[in-house]
């Protein structure tokens, strides 16, 4: 038996030991032959290593007598026959999808982004502390400059791919705040805001959760569901955030974002239950970035959702809860960002997004690795959805 990492598996290998997910679900039993689909499924369930049966040695050709060596031309033909066959295109695609995240994390541009991202996190934490200790808006110039440089370093697709792999940090307030700042800036760019407004919006995203620094850590970091009392405490952070920022020279829209980023257009939000026309525009944009980042992050009760699942959630109830113009702009651009991306469906089949349905952004047209084309917007595919972006 041989133990191999998932990216070193190839179709045709025989499973030697049961393959079980972290939650106890059996994916494959001993004796089962690995297929491209099964290998993709292992990657999807984050299986690190697999034990397979040892590969058999190459068969001996008994048609040639040992005492009579074959002519030179025949030897050449035999040598060519024993060369490993080229990997089929489908297998190559599966290999690509399995190793994408690993290759991304090993790339020099990811490592540079990760280093710059860590510097931004440390800088953001220092600025939070400085503001809490009495510092004013003037101290944030370099914070904004660093965030702007981080944003400029990537295309939209690269930026969102990078952020999706920045989830293992110990300071969730600061990593989330940096992500919301970057996502808010992306929305502002899509809305074609002038440079000065773009900078103000970015800073609003960076500082929107500063009030959480005043929430007790045992509540803030609680892995399970909040009690009613704990949730009531948690809901005070917008008021605390505005209080911290008030009177320190910040643009009024930044204070509004801190106070109103949990307000919803239908009046269901907090702390004041405002309606759409009562919510500041920048607060409405930051609210969308805030929810998107939260939903694409892992939680104690669920795995992170992929972008198309988040788009689906917004399409179901978000159009009533968020500013119509801003949420539609955001959803259309996010969906188009992932056009032509490799995906895995909830039935473990893999393929590529080939067309975005404008009237149903979360359910695009997919070309499967088999070559079959399916339109997820068709009623016959209601039970199929995009589970992950590969």
């Amino acid at each position: 038996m041989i133990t191999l990492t998932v990216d070193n598996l190839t179709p045709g290998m025989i499973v030697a030991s049961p393959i079980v997910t972290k939650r106890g679900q059996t994916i494959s039993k001993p004796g089962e032959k690995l297929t491209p689909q099964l290998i993709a499924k292992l990657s999807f369930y984050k299986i690190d290593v697999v034990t397979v049966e040892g590969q058999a040695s190459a068969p001996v050709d008994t048609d040639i007598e040992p005492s009579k060596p074959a002519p030179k031309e025949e030897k050449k033909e035999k040598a060519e026959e024993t060369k490993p066959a080229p990997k089929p295109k489908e297998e190559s695609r599966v290999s690509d999808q399995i190793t994408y995240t690993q290759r991304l994390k090993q790339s020099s541009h990811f490592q540079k982004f990760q280093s710059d991202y860590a510097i931004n996190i440390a800088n953001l934490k220092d600025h939070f502390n400085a503001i809490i200790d009495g510092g004013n808006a003037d101290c944030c110039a370099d914070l904004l400059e660093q965030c702007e440089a981080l944003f400029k370093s990537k295309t939209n697709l690269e930026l969102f791919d990078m952020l999706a792999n920045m989830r293992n940090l110990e300071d969730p307030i600061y990593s989330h705040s940096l992500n919301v700042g970057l996502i808010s800036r992306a929305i502002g760019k899509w809305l074609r805001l002038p440079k000065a407004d773009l900078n103000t919006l970015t800073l609003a995203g960076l500082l929107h959760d500063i009030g959480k620094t005043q929430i007790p850590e045992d509540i803030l970091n609680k892995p399970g569901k909040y009690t009613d009392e704990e949730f009531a405490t948690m809901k005070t952070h917008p008021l605390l955030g505005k209080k911290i920022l008030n009177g320190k020279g910040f643009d009024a829209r930044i204070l509004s974002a801190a106070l109103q980023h949990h307000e919803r257009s239908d009046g269901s939000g907090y702390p004041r239950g405002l309606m759409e026309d009562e919510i500041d525009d920048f607060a409405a944009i930051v609210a969308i970035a805030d929810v998107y980042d939260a939903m694409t992050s892992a939680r104690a009760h669920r795995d992170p959702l992929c972008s198309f699942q988040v788009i689906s959630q917004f399409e179901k109830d978000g159009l009533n809860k968020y500013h119509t113009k801003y949420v539609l702009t955001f959803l259309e651009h996010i969906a188009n960002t992932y056009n032509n991306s490799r995906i895995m469906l909830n039935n473990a089949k893999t393929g590529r997004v080939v067309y975005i349905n404008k009237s149903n952004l979360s359910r695009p047209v997919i070309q499967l690795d088999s070559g079959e084309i399916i339109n997820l917007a068709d009623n016959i595919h209601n039970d199929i959805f995009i589970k992950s972006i590969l």
Side-chain angles (χ1 to χ4, degrees), residues 108-128:
S108 59
H109 65 282
F110 176 85
Q111 292 168 7
K112 176 64 166 61
F113 184 90
Q114 187 176 43
S115 174
D116 292 342
Y117 186 93
I119 292 170
N120 272 263
I121 291 292
N123 196 30
L124 184 59
K125 189 172 184 178
D126 289 341
H127 280 75
F128 270 36

Side-chain angles (χ1 to χ4, degrees), residues 73-88:
E73 290 185 2
E74 291 184 15
K75 283 185 179 181
K76 182 179 180 181
E77 290 175 1
K78 292 296 176 183
E80 290 177 350
E81 288 176 8
T82 59
K83 287 181 181 179
K87 198 179 266 189

